[in-house]
Amino acid sequence: MPTPQSILKEVFGYDSFRPLQREVIENVLERRDSLAIMPTGGGKSLCYQIPALLQPGLTLVISPLIALMKDQVEQLRAYGVAAVYLNSSLSAEAYAENMEAVRRGEVKLLYLAPESLFTGRILNLLDSLRVDMLTIDEAHCISEWGHDFRPEYRQLVEIRRRYPQAVCLALTATATPRVRQDISRNLGFSHNNEFVASFNRENLYIEVAPKTNPLAQTIRFAERFKDQSGIIYCFSRRQVDELAADLARKGFSVRPYHAGLTDEDRRRNQEAFIRDDVQIIVATIAFGMGINKPNVRFVLHYDLPKSIEGYYQEIGRAGRDGLPAHCLLLYSYGDVAKLKYFIEQKQGDEKRIANQHVDSLVRYAEDEHNCRRKPLLAYFGENYPQAKCQNCDNCTSPPPALENVTIPAQKFLSCVKRTGERFGAGHVTEVLRGSKSEKVLKWEHDKLSTYGIGMELTEKQWMHLGRQLLQMGYLQQDAEFYSLRLTEKALDALRKRAPIFGHLQEPQERPRNEKARKTDLDYNHALFALLRQKRKELADQDNVPPYVIFSDKTLVEMAAYYPQSLASLMSISGVGQVKARQFGDSFVAVVREYCQKKGIAEVAKESPREKSDQNRRYVAVGEAFNAGEAVESLAKRYSVSVATILDNLGRFAAAGNRLQNGKSLQRLSSLSASEQTAALQAFASAGTDYLKPVFEQLGGRVSYDELKILRLLFLTGEEHGTHNQTKP
Ligand code: ADP
Ligand code: ZN
């Protein structure tokens, strides 16, 4: 009989589940409505695709992103899964054909936009079928508190009433508690069926660098990613157009993307990016919502994003395939001032909130010491438990030591004062360096005592010092005119001759400590390039994006293990049975030819081991539980639901560990003592592998939620005197 694990391997070609995938799938298969909150790239799709293949009837997938449906359906078909979509982008013939296929019961997954769901012909169609599951993708659209409210989503409740036998799974990458609550309440879910994955994306290298010469920095950065996809985000359309043109002139394969282009141009540029025909997209934040491209290797923020939430969402578009990806933010105080200037035009609450967003981003960007992941995850209410992630700039390369800059700082501050606190850093620098510019002469600033006293530093060094004094709170800057003013702190420092520490050296990108970076699989780059070429060829033949054929991760593994037969190809991640049959020979042929020429032998792939920290969290949870910590306290500590902790304990027991601390479980259960005894007896006779037999034995009187608790209680052996080692 197929199981979630066997489908994962045979159909999708993956060896192990990502965090919480297994839990969500099992919960849904136990026919409980569930809400899964996972970051972009967390693997939400499999959470409904695997149950869809394990249930006899149809799975509906509701999604507002029409552009993504085609992509998802193409990916599923490449895996040999019968999926179709029905939306306005189809021709009348294609639409009718898809309707027919659904009617004949040949389709396992049907993708629909919410607005088409309520049309007479769709409802008619569905009424004639068995609908087993209703999947609501982008479920935050149901909430007015989300960033993308869609009134049609509110009507989904009616569909639930119409097909009450269908289990409902809602998915989103929006983590705020408010939105979460709204989804559960609107859809009538119970809190115990919420699954919140960690928002940490281990494979993203996170870096913030001072923006000194952005074009040169961008070019140097992009050159490191030859032939690999990347997104560059800019603040304005004009900046997008300029930068795209500059990069094109330097020989990069690049296209712009913003709301000022025609729909047709936008579509074409996006398509070219998705199909690996162009390497780089320069975009305003409008880009990324409707794409699913897993092999984006870098995201560069050329300008300051508007909030941490937006920033995290944007960098999240890198590395969905789980391979290393690099996220670089170019930061300058000038950009902050620019953003603040725009915010000044706003009013009331909107202005206050926008300011708060920028301020937290500034704090994040200016922090040179703490691991970047801490503040980012804290923003989403998650505690990052490690001191260092070893995959961000602050963890891998500490900043240069501070120097005593008291004398030049005093000169700069005095000069701000002498020029009347009406000028920006550029003018102050000119005065310090004794410039004879028109502006200096016009204001007679060549007569000041601070005129020409700063020849020892370059213009750039003075500007840099000015920015540091601003950041350290010695200066304030007018949001509109950029003029500088001394603060109380500066007056105090001047009076007391207090020492000031900073950097005189112009800011530089910190040297990257490559050794400290997370190492990934070593692979043969020449072979990888050949495999990519083959992939592109097959993709163009089928008129699909290359990643529909195989992901980069799959090709990387091929270029590391050199599989020379279909059998060994099947051990590569991402190679399921249908893909092996369809594309296997083509790729094995490339590997064989290369290996023959170079005299390379196949490398055996070791059996998969679970490696991610979340995957091992259940051990920490199990141990803390056995040491006496209550389930509720664990849920709080890891910011997950009680149900998730119970699942973790289940896995801990399944891995052969004995559970103790049954008292804590007893407290959780709302059953009377005699009901508990009955349930424990039922487990003793029916075993703990499945809940359904026990549920039936108890006449359906005890809910699955309760049974999960009691199954664990049973496994502690505390309440019935025997220690039981049956797997749950
Ligand atoms: P999300 O919708 O949460 O952004 P997806 O479902 O698109 O994420 O998955 C992101 C990528 O990860 C896809 O390329 C998918 O095939 C891959 N993936 C998902 N689950 C697994 C797994 N268990 N093992 C390996 N790769 C996976
Ligand atoms: Zn770090």
Side-chain angles (χ1 to χ4, degrees):
M1 208 175 72
T3 62
Q5 183 78 46
S6 71
I7 301 266
L8 179 73
K9 179 68 191 159
E10 282 156 25
V11 177
F12 297 98
Y14 298 135
D15 291 315
S16 55
F17 283 106
R18 294 245 178 100
L20 293 186
Q21 280 180 331
R22 180 205 304 274
E23 287 84 347
V24 173
I25 291 168
E26 285 176 355
N27 207 50
V28 166
L29 288 175
E30 279 168 13
R31 308 216 63 72
R32 277 180 301 175
D33 299 331
S34 314
L35 168 60
I37 295 150
M38 296 181 177
T40 309
K44 287 186 280 299
S45 316
L46 287 188
C47 292
Y48 62 83
Q49 289 166 351
I50 289 181
L53 295 179
L54 286 166
Q55 300 182 92
L58 180 71
T59 289
L60 283 182
V61 186
I62 310 303
S63 163
L65 302 171
I66 289 186
L68 273 189
M69 289 181 189
K70 176 157 166 275
D71 191 80
Q72 273 166 330
V73 164
E74 277 171 351
Q75 293 196 53
L76 280 172
R77 289 205 180 149
Y79 284 116
V81 175
V84 301
Y85 62 97
L86 289 170
N87 67 33
S88 52
S89 75
L90 288 171
S91 68
E93 289 93 344
Y95 197 101
E97 235 171 72
N98 285 352
M99 290 274 287
E100 256 331 288
V102 176
R103 198 186 309 283
R104 285 194 303 265
E106 295 165 6
V107 170
K108 295 303 300 178
L109 289 114
L110 169 60
Y111 286 76
L112 285 173
E115 59 274 14
S116 35
L117 188 50
F118 296 99
T119 57
R121 66 171 160 174
I122 296 285
L123 290 176
N124 266 339
L125 173 68
L126 296 180
D127 285 348
S128 70
L129 296 163
R130 168 177 173 155
V131 181
D132 274 336
M133 181 162 164
L134 176 67
T135 306
I136 303 176
D137 206 1
E138 313 289 341
H140 54 270
C141 293
I142 215 166
S143 168
E144 275 161 339
W145 292 91
H147 47 80
D148 199 14
F149 174 58
R150 313 238 172 176
E152 316 87 74
Y153 261 63
R154 283 288 165 81
Q155 294 169 29
L156 289 173
V157 179
E158 289 164 34
I159 290 296
R160 297 211 55 203
R161 278 192 215 113
R162 197 171 178 117
Y163 307 109
Q165 77 290 358
V167 65
C168 185
L169 171 62
L171 303 154
T172 177
T174 300
T176 64
R178 180 104 218 194
V179 173
R180 234 187 269 170
Q181 220 178 35
D182 259 10
I183 300 173
S184 286
R185 189 149 20 92
N186 269 293
L187 294 171
F189 288 2
S190 100
H191 177 68
N192 282 349
N193 296 305
E194 255 179 53
F195 297 83
V196 186
S198 166
F199 270 59
N200 183 23
R201 300 275 314 279
E202 294 186 330
N203 59 320
L204 303 185
Y205 181 81
I206 304 176
E207 180 179 7
V208 181
K211 182 173 178 177
T212 48
N213 185 342
L215 180 59
Q217 285 173 298
T218 301
I219 290 171
R220 233 180 310 135
F221 184 69
E223 272 169 351
R224 301 217 304 255
F225 300 91
K226 194 172 169 301
D227 291 336
Q228 295 186 311
S229 303
I231 305 173
I232 301 178
Y233 285 110
C234 297
F235 182 71
S236 66
R237 296 176 192 179
R238 191 173 50 94
Q239 184 64 264
V240 166
D241 288 332
E242 270 174 36
L243 183 59
D246 285 340
L247 290 175
R249 223 170 296 121
K250 293 281 175 188
F252 287 96
S253 151
V254 56
R255 297 270 177 88
Y257 187 100
H258 57 66
L261 299 174
T262 63
D263 285 353
E264 175 55 22
D265 279 346
R266 272 210 310 274
R267 199 197 54 74
R268 214 181 22 228
N269 291 354
Q270 171 169 319
E271 186 81 4
F273 181 64
I274 284 171
R275 301 214 164 186
D276 289 345
D277 290 329
V278 302
Q279 187 206 350
I280 299 171
I281 283 280
V282 184
T284 51
I285 46 166
F287 184 76
M289 275 297 283
I291 70 160
N292 220 343
K293 188 174 165 65
N295 59 337
V296 174
R297 291 277 72 84
F298 70 87
V299 167
L300 171 69
H301 279 90
Y302 192 86
D303 294 312
L304 198 67
K306 293 189 189 68
S307 68
I308 292 214
E309 198 174 355
Y311 168 67
Y312 202 67
Q313 201 169 43
E314 283 145 28
I315 65 174
R317 289 170 190 148
R320 286 186 184 211
D321 52 13
L323 291 175
H326 194 138
C327 309
L328 173 63
L329 164 63
L330 296 180
Y331 173 78
S332 82
Y333 206 81
D335 283 353
V336 178
K338 205 157 65 178
L339 210 51
K340 290 248 167 178
Y341 174 73
F342 278 99
I343 293 172
E344 274 309 303
Q345 335 274 317
K346 300 181 192 254
Q347 311 262 318
D349 266 1
E350 204 193 347
K351 178 163 158 182
R352 191 174 47 79
I353 291 168
N355 268 316
Q356 280 171 1
H357 280 316
V358 174
D359 292 341
S360 31
L361 196 67
V362 168
R363 264 197 306 282
Y364 162 80
E366 288 183 358
D367 186 341
E368 292 190 313
H369 301 281
N370 296 304
C371 174
R372 299 271 180 215
R373 286 188 154 70
K374 271 196 185 300
L376 288 179
L377 292 171
Y379 196 82
F380 296 101
E382 194 176 326
N383 174 35
Y384 185 66
Q386 278 149 263
K388 281 174 177 285
C389 73
Q390 298 303 6
N391 205 26
C392 75
D393 52 357
N394 286 351
C395 285
T396 57
S397 45
L402 294 174
E403 325 163 47
N404 186 329
V405 297
T406 313
I407 304 278
Q410 286 171 346
K411 289 183 181 177
F412 194 95
L413 294 174
S414 311
C415 195
V416 169
K417 184 88 195 148
R418 302 274 151 159
T419 49
E421 301 186 284
R422 293 164 56 194
F423 297 91
H427 184 77
V428 173
T429 297
E430 288 198 335
V431 175
L432 284 167
R433 294 199 21 96
S435 154
K436 294 201 164 45
S437 75
E438 207 177 301
K439 192 167 163 197
V440 170
L441 299 178
K442 176 180 146 206
W443 289 95
E444 302 197 338
H445 286 163
D446 54 335
K447 308 250 163 51
L448 295 176
S449 61
T450 51
Y451 181 73
I453 61 167
M455 306 303 286
E456 74 276 23
L457 297 186
T458 64
E459 188 188 320
K460 281 196 170 164
Q461 284 177 308
W462 280 120
M463 294 294 286
H464 176 44
L465 183 63
R467 275 198 298 275
Q468 293 172 69
L469 292 170
L470 200 56
Q471 281 160 21
M472 289 187 282
Y474 292 101
L475 291 171
Q476 263 176 358
Q477 186 168 43
D478 185 275
E480 195 169 351
F481 301 108
Y482 302 117
S483 59
L484 297 171
R485 237 181 5 259
L486 300 199
T487 61
E488 210 37 59
K489 183 175 175 184
L491 296 171
D492 206 46
L494 286 176
R495 238 180 283 128
K496 294 187 184 145
R497 295 168 201 273
I500 298 176
F501 291 90
H503 301 293
L504 283 184
Q505 213 19 272
E506 254 182 69
Q508 278 165 357
E509 279 172 56
R510 290 190 244 166
R512 286 197 319 134
N513 186 346
E514 291 289 348
K515 256 197 260 126
R517 286 196 63 186
K518 294 227 156 124
T519 50
D520 212 70
L521 197 56
D522 240 346
Y523 64 94
N524 185 316
H525 291 250
L527 177 55
F528 178 75
L530 293 173
L531 294 166
R532 262 190 92 191
Q533 217 174 318
K534 174 56 71 184
R535 176 176 69 177
K536 178 73 179 142
E537 197 181 292
L538 294 172
D540 286 348
Q541 259 169 37
D542 287 1
N543 197 24
V544 293
Y547 58 79
V548 166
I549 310 276
F550 282 129
S551 72
D552 277 16
K553 174 113 194 249
T554 302
L555 299 194
V556 161
E557 285 204 2
M558 287 184 201
Y561 299 115
Y562 309 99
Q564 300 189 28
S565 65
L566 275 189
S568 21
L569 190 73
M570 296 283 297
S571 72
I572 299 292
S573 170
V575 185
Q577 288 173 348
V578 171
K579 282 195 181 181
R581 221 178 304 133
Q582 214 177 345
F583 311 117
D585 288 336
S586 308
F587 286 89
V588 166
V590 173
V591 175
R592 266 211 212 117
E593 192 190 325
Y594 185 84
C595 288
Q596 248 157 31
K597 217 157 52 193
K598 303 276 173 181
I600 298 174
E602 187 170 310
V603 177
K605 191 182 166 195
E606 47 182 316
S607 68
R609 62 201 150 83
E610 295 190 304
K611 56 174 179 180
S612 86
D613 284 329
Q614 288 90 25
N615 263 356
R616 264 190 264 132
R617 181 174 70 201
Y618 71 89
V619 177
V621 167
E623 283 169 358
F625 177 80
N626 278 350
E629 188 169 348
V631 170
E632 298 92 319
S633 146
L634 283 162
K636 205 174 238 161
R637 179 142 72 91
Y638 287 97
S639 317
V640 296
S641 65
V642 164
T644 302
I645 294 296
L646 294 178
D647 279 320
N648 278 313
L649 292 176
R651 281 183 77 186
F652 184 70
N657 301 292
R658 184 194 282 173
L659 283 177
Q660 290 150 9
N661 193 5
K663 289 271 174 299
S664 151
L665 292 168
Q666 255 183 321
R667 265 202 315 276
L668 268 187
S669 170
S670 56
L671 297 185
S672 69
S674 65
E675 286 171 310
Q676 287 194 12
T677 309
L680 294 172
Q681 276 165 357
F683 277 116
S685 74
T688 52
D689 281 351
Y690 296 101
L691 292 178
K692 199 162 179 223
V694 175
F695 181 78
E696 279 167 1
Q697 204 170 318
L698 297 171
R701 286 186 310 273
V702 181
S703 73
Y704 278 108
D705 281 327
E706 279 291 347
L707 288 180
K708 261 200 171 168
I709 299 172
L710 288 163
R711 175 162 69 182
L712 290 171
L713 182 58
F714 178 78
L715 290 168
T716 67
E718 277 178 33
E719 294 314 308
H720 46 104
T722 55
H723 276 299
N724 192 300
Q725 285 294 331
T726 321
K727 292 187 168 195

